[in-house]
Amino acid sequence: MNAESADQEKRPPLLQRAKRSSNQWLRRKGWSLHNRQLVFHYLRLIWEQVSAMLPITLLQVLVLAIFFGKSSSTPGIDAAGLLSAVAGLVLFLEGLRVAVMPMALLLGNQLPLKLKLPWVLLVAFCLGVLVTYAEPAIAAIRPLAKLVDPQSAPYLYYLMNQQQELLVLAIGVGVGLASVVGTLKFLTGTSIKPFIAGSLLPTVGLACYMQWGNPHLRPILGVAWDCGGVTTGPVSAAADLLL
């Protein structure tokens, strides 16, 4: 059983009938098999993004209404923004699948055959830094930085606004080092456990100091841990894993 037939069995009967009817209608209109498959491919991508965003959006609306007694003052703009986000995510993920992922896979297969290990590690480090700048979550730092109150969190305000480029560079360097470690693991068979322990223990220690040892650094703690989530976004995860 191929992947397409298995995917069809997972769909509800209503969706299966709708797809068969749409397929027959497009065939009567003279659409080729390739074009029909392309239409259903993009419809599936759109449905995946809508089904992922709709529960989050409804939850936010319910929380605002139940706990805060508020509603959106610009529902039209909000709806247009959600539709734009769905379209952008579809095009973004399709671009990853068509261009970024095949290039990363080709590079990962050919690089060790053409270059020595130090150069392979250097390329892995540079790619780790560069894909961080391409992450959508990194771009969200700029508008969020304006929401920080300089009176209640001066260090966080300074970091998010005046040292924003340094923050992104630090995240990129971390991703680059992780790419180097991952490459070494695959090429040399080195265990990953010492690297996990060596990076996790001092990180937890610093987090404890920021939380209980210095109240001025406490607001930065959330950003510090969120940066780890940024490094597993759709761009860096796809490029680094395939590499």
Side-chain angles (χ1 to χ4, degrees):
M1 182 182 297
N2 55 28
E4 183 178 358
S5 59
D7 183 61
Q8 289 179 355
E9 287 188 357
K10 295 180 182 178
R11 295 195 188 103
L14 181 62
L15 292 180
Q16 294 182 19
R17 290 197 298 269
K19 181 177 180 181
R20 284 197 297 267
S21 301
S22 302
N23 189 32
Q24 294 172 359
W25 183 80
L26 291 174
R27 186 168 52 188
R28 288 195 299 268
K29 293 296 183 179
W31 287 54
S32 64
L33 177 61
H34 173 74
N35 290 335
R36 295 200 305 271
Q37 290 177 340
L38 195 62
V39 167
F40 290 120
H41 169 70
Y42 281 108
L43 288 176
R44 180 178 59 83
L45 289 180
I46 293 173
W47 171 249
E48 288 177 354
Q49 303 311 315
V50 170
S51 60
M53 295 182 61
L54 190 59
I56 300 175
T57 305
L58 292 177
L59 178 61
Q60 292 177 343
V61 172
L62 290 176
V63 169
L64 287 174
I66 295 174
F67 295 100
F68 300 98
K70 296 182 179 180
S71 61
S72 175
S73 58
T74 56
I77 296 178
D78 294 341
L82 289 173
L83 292 176
S84 301
V86 169
L89 285 171
V90 169
L91 295 176
F92 177 74
L93 294 175
E94 189 68 1
L96 280 179
R97 184 187 68 84
V98 173
V100 177
M101 295 174 68
M103 285 192 295
L105 182 61
L106 179 62
L107 184 62
N109 289 331
Q110 297 297 321
L111 198 62
L113 302 177
K114 302 294 183 180
L115 299 177
K116 295 183 179 181
L117 181 58
W119 292 104
V120 173
L121 298 180
L122 179 61
V123 172
F125 175 80
C126 293
L127 281 177
V129 175
L130 292 176
V131 296
T132 303
Y133 281 88
E135 276 296 341
I138 291 294
I141 291 179
R142 301 186 186 278
L144 291 177
K146 301 177 182 179
L147 302 178
V148 180
D149 183 10
Q151 301 298 327
S152 59
Y155 284 7
L156 181 61
Y157 180 85
Y158 176 74
L159 177 66
M160 297 284 288
N161 289 273
Q162 300 182 23
Q163 298 295 331
Q164 192 174 105
E165 294 300 328
L166 184 60
L167 173 63
V168 177
L169 179 61
I171 298 172
V173 170
V175 177
L177 292 176
S179 300
V180 170
V181 172
T183 304
L184 281 174
K185 179 187 181 300
F186 281 107
L187 293 180
T188 63
T190 306
S191 176
I192 198 68
K193 294 180 181 178
F195 296 102
I196 295 177
S199 59
L200 186 59
L201 292 178
T203 303
V204 173
L206 288 173
C208 292
Y209 171 74
M210 294 171 67
Q211 177 66 26
W212 294 292
N214 192 329
H216 296 292
L217 296 178
R218 190 176 301 163
I220 304 178
L221 186 59
V223 175
W225 285 103
D226 285 342
C227 289
V230 170
T231 60
T232 55
V235 177
S236 57
D240 289 341
L241 287 176
L242 288 172
L243 177 62

PDB file of all heavy atoms in Angstrom, residues 1-7 9:
ATOM      1  N   MET A   1       0.849  -1.193   0.000  1.00  0.00           N
ATOM      2  CA  MET A   1       0.000   0.000   0.000  1.00  0.00           C
ATOM      3  C   MET A   1       0.887   1.246   0.000  1.00  0.00           C
ATOM      4  O   MET A   1       1.766   1.393   0.836  1.00  0.00           O
ATOM      5  CB  MET A   1      -0.906  -0.005   1.235  1.00  0.00           C
ATOM      6  CG  MET A   1      -1.868   1.190   1.279  1.00  0.00           C
ATOM      7  SD  MET A   1      -2.882   1.172   2.777  1.00  0.00           S
ATOM      8  CE  MET A   1      -3.795  -0.350   2.526  1.00  0.00           C
ATOM      9  N   ASN A   2       0.679   2.144  -0.976  1.00  0.00           N
ATOM     10  CA  ASN A   2       1.508   3.339  -1.042  1.00  0.00           C
ATOM     11  C   ASN A   2       1.012   4.392  -0.069  1.00  0.00           C
ATOM     12  O   ASN A   2      -0.003   4.240   0.595  1.00  0.00           O
ATOM     13  CB  ASN A   2       1.534   3.896  -2.473  1.00  0.00           C
ATOM     14  CG  ASN A   2       0.132   4.157  -3.017  1.00  0.00           C
ATOM     15  OD1 ASN A   2      -0.792   4.427  -2.250  1.00  0.00           O
ATOM     16  ND2 ASN A   2      -0.011   4.049  -4.334  1.00  0.00           N
ATOM     17  N   ALA A   3       1.789   5.491   0.011  1.00  0.00           N
ATOM     18  CA  ALA A   3       1.484   6.525   0.994  1.00  0.00           C
ATOM     19  C   ALA A   3       0.173   7.229   0.685  1.00  0.00           C
ATOM     20  O   ALA A   3      -0.579   7.602   1.590  1.00  0.00           O
ATOM     21  CB  ALA A   3       2.631   7.536   1.057  1.00  0.00           C
ATOM     22  N   GLU A   4      -0.120   7.418  -0.601  1.00  0.00           N
ATOM     23  CA  GLU A   4      -1.347   8.144  -0.962  1.00  0.00           C
ATOM     24  C   GLU A   4      -2.583   7.357  -0.581  1.00  0.00           C
ATOM     25  O   GLU A   4      -3.543   7.901  -0.045  1.00  0.00           O
ATOM     26  CB  GLU A   4      -1.335   8.423  -2.469  1.00  0.00           C
ATOM     27  CG  GLU A   4      -2.548   9.240  -2.924  1.00  0.00           C
ATOM     28  CD  GLU A   4      -2.491   9.556  -4.402  1.00  0.00           C
ATOM     29  OE1 GLU A   4      -1.496   9.177  -5.045  1.00  0.00           O
ATOM     30  OE2 GLU A   4      -3.450  10.175  -4.900  1.00  0.00           O
ATOM     31  N   SER A   5      -2.593   6.028  -0.848  1.00  0.00           N
ATOM     32  CA  SER A   5      -3.756   5.235  -0.495  1.00  0.00           C
ATOM     33  C   SER A   5      -3.928   5.137   1.019  1.00  0.00           C
ATOM     34  O   SER A   5      -5.040   5.137   1.531  1.00  0.00           O
ATOM     35  CB  SER A   5      -3.625   3.838  -1.097  1.00  0.00           C
ATOM     36  OG  SER A   5      -2.449   3.192  -0.623  1.00  0.00           O
ATOM     37  N   ALA A   6      -2.793   5.052   1.745  1.00  0.00           N
ATOM     38  CA  ALA A   6      -2.875   5.028   3.207  1.00  0.00           C
ATOM     39  C   ALA A   6      -3.420   6.337   3.738  1.00  0.00           C
ATOM     40  O   ALA A   6      -4.205   6.360   4.695  1.00  0.00           O
ATOM     41  CB  ALA A   6      -1.498   4.740   3.796  1.00  0.00           C
ATOM     42  N   ASP A   7      -3.025   7.459   3.105  1.00  0.00           N
ATOM     43  CA  ASP A   7      -3.529   8.767   3.538  1.00  0.00           C
ATOM     44  C   ASP A   7      -5.018   8.895   3.257  1.00  0.00           C
ATOM     45  O   ASP A   7      -5.756   9.502   4.018  1.00  0.00           O
ATOM     46  CB  ASP A   7      -2.742   9.867   2.821  1.00  0.00           C
ATOM     47  CG  ASP A   7      -3.167  11.251   3.281  1.00  0.00           C
ATOM     48  OD1 ASP A   7      -3.027  11.536   4.481  1.00  0.00           O
ATOM     49  OD2 ASP A   7      -3.638  12.033   2.434  1.00  0.00           O
ATOM     50  N   GLU A   9      -7.194   6.462   3.327  1.00  0.00           N
ATOM     51  CA  GLU A   9      -7.947   5.678   4.295  1.00  0.00           C
ATOM     52  C   GLU A   9      -8.117   6.417   5.614  1.00  0.00           C
ATOM     53  O   GLU A   9      -9.071   6.205   6.347  1.00  0.00           O
ATOM     54  CB  GLU A   9      -7.237   4.336   4.543  1.00  0.00           C
ATOM     55  CG  GLU A   9      -7.378   3.373   3.382  1.00  0.00           C
ATOM     56  CD  GLU A   9      -6.843   2.005   3.745  1.00  0.00           C
ATOM     57  OE1 GLU A   9      -6.319   1.863   4.876  1.00  0.00           O
ATOM     58  OE2 GLU A   9      -6.958   1.085   2.931  1.00  0.00           O
TER      59      GLU A   9
END
